[in-house]
Amino acid sequence: MKLIVGLGNIGKEYENTRHNIGFMVVDELAKRWGISFGKEDRSAYCAEYRMGGEKILVIKPTTYMNLSGFAVGAYANFYHIDPEDIAVIQDDMDMALGQIRIRSKGSAGGHNGIKSIIQHLGTEEFPHFKVGIGHPDRNNKAVINHVLNGFYADEKETITKAVNDMASALEEWVKVDLNSAMQKYNTKKAKKPKKTAEPKEEANEENKEA
């Protein structure tokens, strides 16, 4: 059995924001696989799929980003899923927009959702599927606005490709293995597009969701 976790914040106001890239990827998987997310269970919306006889659970934690570990720990414990069989999709500000990086393990690197998961699993040794969202000016307010805002008009093509590629990388992980997914889908640093349009709305949320 495998568990695929898309990280993000629940709510209409967070849809298609940078911090919700994990939700966007699992939504693409659900679309490809013809599955839908059911009612909230163990602090997450869950969808189930079978590939080659193996059960795959796909979840969206409903606790907001900083407490994502509650859902991941609950599913891992209830279904006895080993950390190496838990793929977590996250945004990464230290990577260029659209860059993909897959790792077999890794520290939180300042990402509060990953920090919570490490705390609840008791290990850093689970696959990290990272999508670059670019980095704003180096100050706390700019960072919060950046991750909780939408993508610029001229970034959407890049991020759509990244979402599709990451969904394909997860399918490769399930069908073959992690090494194959890394070899095929890890990308070099992408070019940073110029910002020619403003996001549709300003972010004004508290740090608890960032």
Side-chain angles (χ1 to χ4, degrees):
M1 179 182 290
K2 284 183 167 56
L3 177 65
I4 296 176
V5 183
L7 295 186
N9 289 310
I10 292 294
K12 285 284 185 183
E13 65 270 37
Y14 299 113
E15 287 183 2
N16 300 317
T17 58
R18 296 171 193 268
H19 223 18
N20 272 34
I21 199 72
F23 280 9
M24 294 166 68
V25 172
V26 295
D27 282 342
E28 172 61 24
L29 276 179
K31 179 181 176 181
R32 292 185 184 191
W33 294 348
I35 58 178
S36 57
F37 292 92
K39 294 181 180 179
E40 184 177 359
D41 181 40
R42 299 180 184 86
S43 300
Y45 296 129
C46 180
E48 183 178 322
Y49 186 67
R50 285 188 177 273
M51 183 181 292
E54 182 174 32
K55 180 187 286 188
I56 305 161
L57 299 178
V58 185
I59 67 169
K60 294 180 180 180
T62 57
T63 53
Y64 290 106
M65 184 64 78
N66 290 8
L67 301 177
S68 299
F70 280 97
V72 179
Y75 276 86
N77 291 332
F78 185 84
Y79 290 99
H80 306 289
I81 305 173
D82 294 331
E84 66 184 25
D85 290 322
I86 301 173
V88 179
I89 307 117
Q90 64 173 102
D91 60 292
D92 194 312
M93 287 190 300
D94 293 325
M95 291 163 48
L97 184 84
Q99 184 183 4
I100 288 176
R101 182 177 297 155
I102 304 166
R103 295 288 183 265
S104 61
K105 59 182 179 180
S107 65
H111 194 290
N112 289 330
I114 298 297
K115 187 182 299 182
S116 176
I117 293 171
I118 290 172
Q119 179 183 359
H120 283 266
L121 292 181
T123 181
E124 298 177 351
E125 297 189 4
F126 54 87
H128 297 240
F129 285 70
K130 302 180 181 184
V131 180
I133 60 169
H135 204 295
D137 295 332
R138 297 275 178 177
N139 67 73
N140 191 52
K141 183 178 180 181
V143 165
I144 293 169
N145 284 335
H146 182 70
V147 299
L148 296 180
N149 256 335
F151 294 97
Y152 294 94
D154 57 356
E155 293 177 328
K156 290 182 179 179
E157 182 178 350
T158 298
I159 209 63
T160 296
K161 182 180 186 303
V163 166
N164 278 281
D165 287 348
M166 188 58 91
S168 296
L170 287 158
E171 290 182 316
E172 184 74 12
W173 174 62
V174 173
K175 293 176 182 177
V176 187
D177 57 30
L178 189 64
N179 285 333
S180 181
M182 289 192 289
Q183 290 172 8
K184 288 186 177 182
Y185 293 97
N186 275 346
T187 58
K188 296 180 180 180
K189 187 174 181 180
K191 292 183 179 180
K192 188 175 182 180
K194 295 180 181 179
K195 295 179 174 63
T196 58
E198 292 299 319
K200 61 182 178 180
E201 61 183 30
E202 291 295 323
N204 57 4
E205 300 299 327
E206 298 296 328
N207 290 0
K208 67 179 182 179
E209 284 118 6

